[in-house]
Structure formats: C-alpha cells, structure tokens
Amino acid sequence: MLDLPDTPANLEEFPKDSVGGYETAFAQARVVAISECASHAIVAADVSGCWDGEQTLAYSL
C-alpha cells in the first residue's frame, strides 16, 4: 500500500478508501511486484486501487 498525494489526478484514479464509515487520509494504491533476488530489480508490477486484493493483482502478473 502506498499513500499518494491528494492531487486531482491521483484522487480520480485512486479514490480514498472508506472503512467503517471513516475515509482514509490519503488516496491509496496497492502495488504487487516481482523482483530479482540479487539486484532487487523489478521485473513486473501491477498497480490498482486499495480495494483490489493482492491475489487478484498477482494473477494478472
């Protein structure tokens, strides 16, 4: 999970999440990535809103 700045573009793509009737302070994005062990270079990644689960994003990789 990444907290993103409250810019209009971020809020349009990644709306704030509301849990238990409370809205989160920032727009949030979930990132799932595959990286190499030695160099830690990211080989593949998928980004979505915080409401999508890790398993759903991992399936798309």
Side-chain angles (χ1 to χ4, degrees), residues 9-41:
N10 283 344
L11 291 173
E12 183 178 330
E13 186 69 27
F14 305 104
K16 294 181 180 181
D17 191 21
S18 59
V19 178
Y22 298 100
E23 191 175 76
T24 57
F26 300 100
Q28 294 181 326
R30 184 180 306 271
V31 178
V32 174
I34 297 174
S35 65
E36 294 183 354
C37 291
S39 67
H40 302 288

Side-chain angles (χ1 to χ4, degrees), residues 31-34 42-47 57 60-61:
V31 178
V32 174
I34 297 174
I42 294 177
V43 177
D46 197 2
V47 180
L57 291 175
S60 68
L61 294 177

